[in-house]
Amino acid sequence: MKQTHKQRILEMLQEAGDRGVHSFTLANSVTFRASARINDLKNDGYNITTKHEKMGDSYGVRYFLEE
């Protein structure tokens, strides 16, 4: 059974732990609409925090799944 984007992002956040997952990583490996799927996960009750962060010459967001 194929995972949904939301399931894959949740799995990546769980695996990353305290390192979190950068929005660029999600865009490159899952979907460009990662922020929408993060919002879906928040609406499902997951506590996900964000931190603005520079990666290379660009700015993005690092997402963290809080316990």
Side-chain angles (χ1 to χ4, degrees):
M1 181 176 178
K2 186 177 177 182
Q3 283 186 318
T4 65
H5 289 156
K6 189 168 78 168
Q7 291 168 326
R8 179 65 185 129
I9 289 170
L10 179 59
E11 182 180 273
M12 290 175 73
L13 287 168
Q14 291 169 332
E15 289 173 2
D18 292 342
R19 293 184 323 267
V21 180
H22 200 280
S23 56
F24 295 166
T25 302
L26 294 175
N28 288 329
S29 62
V30 182
T31 179
F32 285 106
R33 302 234 339 128
S35 61
R37 300 299 70 82
I38 291 288
N39 191 54
D40 291 344
L41 288 166
K42 287 180 178 181
N43 289 338
D44 288 347
Y46 290 96
N47 184 14
I48 299 172
T49 58
T50 59
K51 177 184 173 189
H52 291 275
E53 184 176 285
K54 188 172 183 179
M55 184 179 253
D57 291 334
S58 301
Y59 287 90
V61 174
R62 185 169 294 273
Y63 297 103
F64 300 89
L65 179 62
E66 303 294 334
E67 297 298 320

Coordinates of all heavy atoms in Angstrom, one line a residue:
M1 N 0.8 -1.2 0.0 CA 0.0 0.0 0.0 C 0.9 1.2 0.0 O 1.8 1.4 0.8 CB -0.9 0.0 1.2 CG -1.8 1.1 1.4 SD -2.8 0.8 2.8 CE -3.8 2.2 2.8
K2 N 0.6 2.2 -0.9 CA 1.4 3.4 -1.0 C 1.1 4.4 0.1 O -0.1 4.6 0.4 CB 1.1 4.0 -2.4 CG 2.0 5.2 -2.7 CD 1.7 5.7 -4.1 CE 2.5 7.0 -4.3 NZ 2.3 7.6 -5.6
Q3 N 2.1 4.9 0.7 CA 1.9 5.9 1.7 C 1.5 7.3 1.1 O 1.9 7.6 0.0 CB 3.3 6.2 2.4 CG 3.7 5.2 3.4 CD 4.9 5.6 4.2 OE1 5.8 6.2 3.6 NE2 4.9 5.4 5.5
T4 N 0.7 8.0 1.9 CA 0.3 9.3 1.5 C 1.4 10.3 1.8 O 2.3 9.9 2.6 CB -1.0 9.8 2.2 OG1 -0.7 9.9 3.6 CG2 -2.2 8.8 1.9
H5 N 1.4 11.4 1.2 CA 2.4 12.5 1.6 C 2.4 12.7 3.1 O 3.5 12.9 3.7 CB 2.2 13.7 0.8 CG 2.5 13.6 -0.7 ND1 1.9 14.4 -1.6 CD2 3.3 12.7 -1.4 CE1 2.4 14.0 -2.8 NE2 3.2 13.0 -2.7
K6 N 1.2 12.8 3.6 CA 1.1 13.1 5.0 C 1.7 12.0 5.9 O 2.5 12.3 6.8 CB -0.4 13.3 5.4 CG -0.7 13.8 6.8 CD -2.1 14.2 7.0 CE -3.0 13.1 7.2 NZ -4.4 13.5 7.6
Q7 N 1.5 10.8 5.5 CA 2.1 9.7 6.3 C 3.6 9.7 6.2 O 4.3 9.4 7.1 CB 1.5 8.3 5.7 CG 0.1 8.1 6.1 CD -0.5 6.9 5.3 OE1 -0.1 6.6 4.2 NE2 -1.4 6.2 5.9
R8 N 4.1 9.9 5.0 CA 5.6 10.0 4.8 C 6.2 11.1 5.6 O 7.3 10.9 6.2 CB 5.9 10.1 3.3 CG 7.3 10.1 2.9 CD 8.0 8.8 3.3 NE 9.4 9.0 3.1 CZ 10.4 8.6 4.0 NH1 10.0 8.1 5.1 NH2 11.6 8.8 3.7
I9 N 5.6 12.3 5.6 CA 6.1 13.4 6.3 C 6.1 13.1 7.8 O 7.1 13.3 8.5 CB 5.4 14.7 6.0 CG1 5.7 15.1 4.6 CG2 5.7 15.8 7.0 CD1 4.8 16.3 4.1
L10 N 5.1 12.5 8.3 CA 5.0 12.1 9.7 C 6.1 11.1 10.1 O 6.8 11.2 11.1 CB 3.6 11.5 10.1 CG 3.5 11.1 11.5 CD1 3.7 12.2 12.5 CD2 2.1 10.5 11.7
E11 N 6.3 10.1 9.2 CA 7.4 9.2 9.4 C 8.8 9.8 9.4 O 9.6 9.5 10.3 CB 7.3 8.1 8.3 CG 8.3 7.0 8.4 CD 8.2 6.0 7.3 OE1 7.4 5.1 7.4 OE2 8.9 6.2 6.2
M12 N 9.0 10.8 8.5 CA 10.3 11.5 8.5 C 10.5 12.3 9.7 O 11.6 12.3 10.3 CB 10.4 12.4 7.2 CG 10.5 11.6 5.9 SD 10.5 12.6 4.5 CE 12.1 13.4 4.6
L13 N 9.4 12.9 10.2 CA 9.6 13.7 11.5 C 9.9 12.8 12.7 O 10.7 13.2 13.5 CB 8.3 14.5 11.7 CG 8.0 15.7 10.8 CD1 6.6 16.2 10.9 CD2 9.0 16.8 11.0
Q14 N 9.2 11.7 12.7 CA 9.4 10.7 13.8 C 10.9 10.2 13.8 O 11.5 10.1 14.8 CB 8.4 9.6 13.7 CG 7.0 10.0 14.1 CD 6.0 9.0 13.8 OE1 6.2 8.1 12.8 NE2 4.9 9.0 14.5
E15 N 11.4 9.9 12.6 CA 12.7 9.4 12.4 C 13.8 10.4 12.8 O 14.8 10.1 13.3 CB 12.9 8.8 11.0 CG 12.2 7.6 10.8 CD 12.3 7.1 9.3 OE1 13.0 7.8 8.5 OE2 11.6 6.1 9.0
A16 N 13.5 11.7 12.4 CA 14.5 12.8 12.6 C 14.6 13.2 14.1 O 15.7 13.6 14.5 CB 14.0 14.0 11.8
G17 N 13.6 13.0 14.9 CA 13.7 13.3 16.3 C 14.0 14.8 16.5 O 13.5 15.7 15.8
D18 N 15.0 15.1 17.3 CA 15.5 16.4 17.7 C 16.1 17.2 16.5 O 16.2 18.4 16.6 CB 16.4 16.4 18.9 CG 15.8 16.0 20.1 OD1 14.5 16.0 20.2 OD2 16.5 15.6 21.1
R19 N 16.5 16.5 15.5 CA 17.1 17.1 14.3 C 16.1 17.9 13.5 O 16.4 18.8 12.8 CB 17.9 16.1 13.4 CG 19.1 15.5 14.1 CD 19.8 14.6 13.1 NE 18.9 13.8 12.2 CZ 18.4 12.6 12.4 NH1 18.7 12.0 13.5 NH2 17.6 12.0 11.5
G20 N 14.9 17.4 13.5 CA 13.8 18.0 12.7 C 14.1 17.7 11.2 O 15.0 17.0 10.8
V21 N 13.2 18.2 10.4 CA 13.3 18.0 8.9 C 13.1 19.4 8.3 O 12.1 20.1 8.6 CB 12.2 17.0 8.4 CG1 12.3 16.9 6.9 CG2 12.3 15.7 9.1
H22 N 14.0 19.7 7.4 CA 14.0 21.0 6.7 C 12.9 21.0 5.6 O 12.7 20.0 4.9 CB 15.3 21.4 6.2 CG 15.5 22.8 5.9 ND1 15.0 23.4 4.7 CD2 16.0 23.8 6.6 CE1 15.2 24.7 4.7 NE2 15.9 25.0 5.9
S23 N 12.3 22.1 5.4 CA 11.3 22.2 4.3 C 11.8 21.9 2.9 O 11.1 21.3 2.1 CB 10.6 23.6 4.3 OG 11.6 24.6 4.1
F24 N 13.1 22.2 2.7 CA 13.7 21.8 1.4 C 13.8 20.3 1.2 O 13.6 19.8 0.1 CB 15.1 22.5 1.3 CG 15.1 24.0 1.2 CD1 16.3 24.7 1.4 CD2 13.9 24.7 1.0 CE1 16.3 26.1 1.3 CE2 14.0 26.1 1.0 CZ 15.1 26.8 1.1
T25 N 14.1 19.6 2.3 CA 14.2 18.2 2.3 C 12.8 17.6 1.9 O 12.7 16.7 1.1 CB 14.7 17.6 3.6 OG1 16.0 18.2 3.9 CG2 14.8 16.1 3.6
L26 N 11.8 18.1 2.5 CA 10.5 17.6 2.3 C 10.1 17.9 0.8 O 9.5 17.1 0.2 CB 9.5 18.2 3.2 CG 9.6 17.8 4.7 CD1 8.6 18.6 5.6 CD2 9.4 16.3 4.9
A27 N 10.4 19.1 0.4 CA 10.1 19.5 -1.0 C 10.8 18.6 -2.0 O 10.2 18.2 -3.1 CB 10.4 20.9 -1.3
N28 N 12.0 18.2 -1.7 CA 12.8 17.4 -2.7 C 12.4 15.9 -2.6 O 12.6 15.2 -3.6 CB 14.3 17.6 -2.4 CG 14.8 18.9 -2.9 OD1 14.3 19.5 -3.8 ND2 15.8 19.4 -2.2
S29 N 12.0 15.4 -1.4 CA 11.8 14.0 -1.3 C 10.3 13.6 -1.2 O 10.0 12.4 -1.4 CB 12.6 13.5 -0.1 OG 12.1 14.0 1.1
V30 N 9.4 14.5 -0.9 CA 8.0 14.1 -0.7 C 7.1 14.9 -1.6 O 6.5 14.4 -2.5 CB 7.6 14.2 0.8 CG1 6.1 13.8 0.9 CG2 8.5 13.4 1.7
T31 N 7.0 16.2 -1.3 CA 6.1 17.1 -2.1 C 6.4 18.6 -1.9 O 6.9 18.9 -0.8 CB 4.6 16.9 -1.7 OG1 3.8 17.7 -2.4 CG2 4.4 17.1 -0.2
F32 N 6.1 19.3 -2.9 CA 6.3 20.8 -2.8 C 5.2 21.4 -1.9 O 5.4 22.5 -1.4 CB 6.3 21.5 -4.1 CG 7.5 21.3 -4.9 CD1 7.5 20.4 -6.0 CD2 8.7 21.9 -4.6 CE1 8.7 20.2 -6.7 CE2 9.8 21.7 -5.3 CZ 9.8 20.9 -6.4
R33 N 4.2 20.7 -1.6 CA 3.1 21.1 -0.8 C 3.2 20.6 0.7 O 2.3 20.4 1.4 CB 1.8 20.7 -1.3 CG 1.5 21.2 -2.7 CD 0.3 21.9 -3.0 NE -0.8 21.8 -2.1 CZ -1.4 22.8 -1.5 NH1 -1.1 24.0 -1.7 NH2 -2.4 22.5 -0.7
A34 N 4.5 20.5 1.1 CA 4.7 20.0 2.5 C 4.1 20.8 3.6 O 3.6 20.3 4.5 CB 6.2 19.9 2.7
S35 N 4.1 22.2 3.4 CA 3.5 23.0 4.4 C 2.0 22.7 4.6 O 1.5 22.8 5.7 CB 3.7 24.5 4.1 OG 3.1 24.8 2.9
A36 N 1.3 22.4 3.5 CA -0.1 22.0 3.6 C -0.3 20.7 4.3 O -1.2 20.6 5.1 CB -0.7 22.0 2.2
R37 N 0.6 19.8 4.1 CA 0.5 18.5 4.8 C 0.9 18.6 6.2 O 0.3 17.9 7.1 CB 1.4 17.4 4.1 CG 1.1 17.1 2.6 CD -0.2 16.6 2.3 NE -1.4 17.4 2.5 CZ -1.8 18.3 1.5 NH1 -1.2 18.5 0.4 NH2 -2.8 19.1 1.8
I38 N 1.8 19.5 6.6 CA 2.2 19.8 8.0 C 0.9 20.4 8.6 O 0.6 20.0 9.8 CB 3.4 20.8 8.1 CG1 4.7 20.1 7.6 CG2 3.5 21.4 9.5 CD1 5.2 19.1 8.5
N39 N 0.3 21.3 8.0 CA -1.0 21.9 8.5 C -2.0 20.8 8.8 O -2.7 20.8 9.8 CB -1.5 23.0 7.6 CG -2.6 23.8 8.3 OD1 -2.4 24.3 9.4 ND2 -3.7 23.9 7.6
D40 N -2.1 19.8 7.8 CA -3.1 18.7 8.0 C -2.7 17.9 9.3 O -3.6 17.5 10.0 CB -3.0 17.8 6.8 CG -3.6 18.4 5.5 OD1 -4.4 19.4 5.6 OD2 -3.4 17.8 4.5
L41 N -1.4 17.6 9.4 CA -1.0 16.9 10.6 C -1.3 17.7 11.9 O -1.7 17.1 12.9 CB 0.5 16.6 10.5 CG 0.9 15.5 9.5 CD1 2.4 15.5 9.2 CD2 0.4 14.2 9.9
K42 N -1.1 19.0 11.9 CA -1.4 19.8 13.1 C -2.9 19.7 13.4 O -3.3 19.6 14.5 CB -1.0 21.2 12.8 CG 0.5 21.5 12.9 CD 0.8 22.9 12.7 CE 2.3 23.2 12.8 NZ 2.6 24.7 12.5
N43 N -3.7 19.8 12.3 CA -5.2 19.7 12.5 C -5.6 18.3 13.0 O -6.6 18.1 13.6 CB -5.9 19.9 11.2 CG -5.8 21.4 10.8 OD1 -5.6 22.3 11.6 ND2 -6.0 21.7 9.5
D44 N -4.7 17.3 12.7 CA -5.0 15.9 13.3 C -4.5 15.8 14.7 O -4.7 14.7 15.3 CB -4.2 14.9 12.4 CG -4.9 14.7 11.0 OD1 -6.0 15.2 10.8 OD2 -4.2 14.1 10.2
G45 N -3.9 16.8 15.3 CA -3.6 16.8 16.7 C -2.1 16.6 17.0 O -1.7 16.6 18.1
Y46 N -1.3 16.6 15.9 CA 0.2 16.5 16.1 C 0.8 17.8 16.5 O 0.4 18.8 15.9 CB 0.9 15.9 14.9 CG 0.6 14.5 14.6 CD1 -0.4 14.1 13.8 CD2 1.3 13.4 15.3 CE1 -0.7 12.8 13.5 CE2 0.9 12.1 15.1 CZ -0.1 11.8 14.2 OH -0.4 10.5 14.0
N47 N 1.7 17.9 17.5 CA 2.3 19.1 17.9 C 3.6 19.3 17.1 O 4.6 18.6 17.4 CB 2.6 19.1 19.4 CG 3.1 20.3 19.9 OD1 3.1 21.4 19.2 ND2 3.7 20.3 21.1
I48 N 3.5 20.1 16.1 CA 4.7 20.3 15.2 C 5.0 21.8 15.3 O 4.2 22.7 15.1 CB 4.3 20.0 13.7 CG1 4.0 18.5 13.6 CG2 5.5 20.3 12.8 CD1 3.4 18.0 12.3
T49 N 6.3 22.0 15.6 CA 6.8 23.4 15.7 C 7.7 23.7 14.6 O 8.2 22.8 13.9 CB 7.6 23.6 17.1 OG1 8.7 22.7 17.1 CG2 6.7 23.4 18.3
T50 N 8.0 25.0 14.3 CA 8.8 25.4 13.2 C 9.9 26.3 13.7 O 9.7 27.1 14.7 CB 8.0 26.1 12.1 OG1 7.3 27.2 12.7 CG2 6.9 25.1 11.5
K51 N 11.0 26.3 13.0 CA 12.1 27.3 13.2 C 12.6 27.7 11.8 O 12.9 26.9 11.0 CB 13.2 26.6 14.0 CG 14.4 27.4 14.2 CD 15.5 26.7 14.9 CE 16.8 27.5 14.9 NZ 17.9 26.7 15.4
H52 N 12.6 29.0 11.6 CA 13.1 29.6 10.4 C 14.6 29.4 10.3 O 15.3 29.6 11.3 CB 12.7 31.1 10.2 CG 11.3 31.3 10.0 ND1 10.7 31.2 8.8 CD2 10.3 31.5 10.9 CE1 9.4 31.4 8.9 NE2 9.1 31.6 10.2
E53 N 15.1 28.9 9.2 CA 16.5 28.5 9.1 C 17.0 28.7 7.7 O 16.3 28.5 6.7 CB 16.6 27.0 9.5 CG 17.9 26.5 9.6 CD 17.9 25.0 10.0 OE1 17.7 24.8 11.2 OE2 18.1 24.1 9.2
K54 N 18.3 29.1 7.6 CA 18.9 29.3 6.3 C 19.6 28.0 5.9 O 20.2 27.3 6.7 CB 20.0 30.4 6.4 CG 20.6 30.7 5.1 CD 21.5 31.9 5.2 CE 22.0 32.3 3.8 NZ 22.9 33.5 3.9
M55 N 19.4 27.6 4.6 CA 20.1 26.4 4.1 C 20.7 26.9 2.8 O 20.0 27.2 1.8 CB 19.1 25.3 3.8 CG 19.7 24.0 3.3 SD 18.5 22.7 3.1 CE 18.9 21.6 4.5
G56 N 22.0 26.9 2.8 CA 22.7 27.5 1.6 C 22.4 28.9 1.5 O 22.6 29.7 2.5
D57 N 22.0 29.4 0.4 CA 21.7 30.8 0.2 C 20.2 31.1 0.4 O 19.8 32.3 0.2 CB 22.1 31.3 -1.2 CG 23.7 31.2 -1.4 OD1 24.4 31.4 -0.4 OD2 24.1 31.1 -2.5
S58 N 19.4 30.2 0.7 CA 18.0 30.4 0.8 C 17.5 30.1 2.2 O 18.1 29.4 3.0 CB 17.3 29.4 -0.1 OG 17.7 29.6 -1.5
Y59 N 16.4 30.7 2.5 CA 15.7 30.5 3.8 C 14.5 29.5 3.7 O 13.8 29.5 2.7 CB 15.2 31.8 4.4 CG 16.4 32.7 4.9 CD1 17.0 33.6 4.0 CD2 16.8 32.5 6.2 CE1 18.0 34.3 4.5 CE2 17.9 33.3 6.6 CZ 18.5 34.2 5.8 OH 19.5 35.0 6.2
G60 N 14.4 28.7 4.7 CA 13.2 27.8 4.8 C 12.8 27.6 6.2 O 13.1 28.5 7.1
V61 N 12.2 26.5 6.5 CA 11.7 26.2 7.8 C 12.1 24.8 8.2 O 12.1 23.9 7.3 CB 10.1 26.3 7.8 CG1 9.6 25.9 9.1 CG2 9.7 27.7 7.5
R62 N 12.5 24.6 9.4 CA 12.7 23.3 9.9 C 11.6 22.9 10.8 O 11.2 23.7 11.7 CB 14.1 23.2 10.7 CG 14.4 21.8 11.1 CD 15.8 21.7 11.7 NE 16.8 21.9 10.6 CZ 17.3 21.0 9.8 NH1 16.9 19.8 9.8 NH2 18.2 21.3 8.9
Y63 N 11.0 21.7 10.6 CA 9.9 21.2 11.3 C 10.3 20.2 12.4 O 11.2 19.4 12.1 CB 8.8 20.6 10.4 CG 8.3 21.5 9.4 CD1 8.7 21.4 8.0 CD2 7.3 22.4 9.7 CE1 8.1 22.3 7.1 CE2 6.7 23.2 8.7 CZ 7.1 23.2 7.4 OH 6.6 24.0 6.5
F64 N 9.7 20.3 13.5 CA 10.0 19.4 14.7 C 8.7 18.8 15.2 O 7.7 19.6 15.4 CB 10.7 20.2 15.8 CG 12.0 20.8 15.4 CD1 12.0 22.1 14.9 CD2 13.2 20.1 15.5 CE1 13.2 22.7 14.6 CE2 14.3 20.7 15.2 CZ 14.4 22.0 14.7
L65 N 8.7 17.5 15.4 CA 7.5 16.8 16.0 C 7.8 16.8 17.5 O 8.8 16.2 17.9 CB 7.4 15.4 15.4 CG 6.2 14.6 16.0 CD1 4.9 15.2 15.7 CD2 6.3 13.2 15.4
E66 N 6.9 17.5 18.2 CA 7.1 17.5 19.7 C 6.3 16.4 20.3 O 5.2 16.1 19.8 CB 6.6 18.9 20.2 CG 7.3 20.1 19.6 CD 8.8 20.2 19.9 OE1 9.2 19.6 21.0 OE2 9.5 20.8 19.1
E67 N 6.8 15.8 21.4 CA 6.1 14.7 22.1 C 5.0 15.3 23.0 O 5.0 16.3 23.4 CB 7.1 13.9 22.8 CG 8.1 13.2 21.9 CD 7.4 12.2 21.0 OE1 6.5 11.5 21.4 OE2 7.9 12.2 19.8

